[in-house]
Amino acid sequence: MQKISTQAALNIAIEELTLRQEGDYIVLKEQVMDTYEAFGLGKIIKRAVSSAVSMPGLGNKMFSAAVGLTTGFITKKIVIGATGNPLLKLLGLAVEFTVADKVAENSGKLKTIGKILLNKIFKKHPAEVEA
């Protein structure tokens, strides 16, 4: 930058720097918005789900875990119910996690048993077919 020796040159330099600062501010603001959108909760969840779906076998593991957790939660509610007793709450958590773990471990077997039971329940009997 050259040396400023007059008031007019100083005013011009100030105006140039002000315009440059305004331009830099606009660019910075756009970059912040782009970064915010890139790291938004929706984008993070979308990336996590799409990467999880692309991994082989992970979908079945996630499903097994979800079924296990749901079954554990329902079992806790049936066995313990709604209570204010801290010891029963602790026992309920132990029951919930134990059931969830066992269901998640044996989800393949449970799925097969469920299919067999559903087929037996909804299977048409020969008398129903003829009628």
Side-chain angles (χ1 to χ4, degrees):
M1 182 173 225
Q2 48 180 297
K3 201 171 193 180
I4 299 173
S5 57
T6 65
Q7 183 66 34
L10 178 62
N11 290 339
I12 291 172
I14 290 172
E15 185 65 30
E16 287 175 355
L17 288 174
T18 303
L19 291 174
R20 183 173 159 190
Q21 183 182 22
E22 290 172 0
D24 289 347
Y25 176 75
I26 291 170
V27 170
L28 179 63
K29 190 175 176 182
E30 289 173 359
Q31 288 175 346
V32 167
M33 290 305 294
D34 290 344
T35 304
Y36 177 77
E37 289 175 7
F39 290 106
L41 182 61
K43 295 272 186 176
I44 291 173
I45 292 172
K46 184 177 178 181
R47 282 190 214 121
V49 169
S50 61
S51 67
V53 169
S54 67
M55 298 174 90
L58 187 60
N60 288 336
K61 289 179 183 177
M62 288 175 58
F63 179 75
S64 297
V67 169
L69 289 172
T70 304
T71 307
F73 178 75
I74 292 170
T75 303
K76 179 181 97 172
K77 288 296 179 186
I78 291 171
V79 172
I80 303 300
T83 182
N85 186 339
L87 292 176
L88 285 178
K89 284 184 179 181
L90 188 61
L91 178 65
L93 284 173
V95 167
E96 179 179 357
F97 289 124
T98 303
V99 170
D101 184 49
K102 295 303 175 189
V103 168
E105 281 179 12
N106 301 308
S107 64
K109 295 174 188 175
L110 293 172
K111 190 186 295 183
T112 304
I113 292 169
K115 285 180 183 178
I116 292 170
L117 289 175
L118 287 175
N119 285 336
K120 286 188 177 188
I121 292 171
F122 294 110
K123 183 179 174 185
K124 291 189 177 184
H125 298 288
E128 292 177 3
V129 176
E130 293 174 11

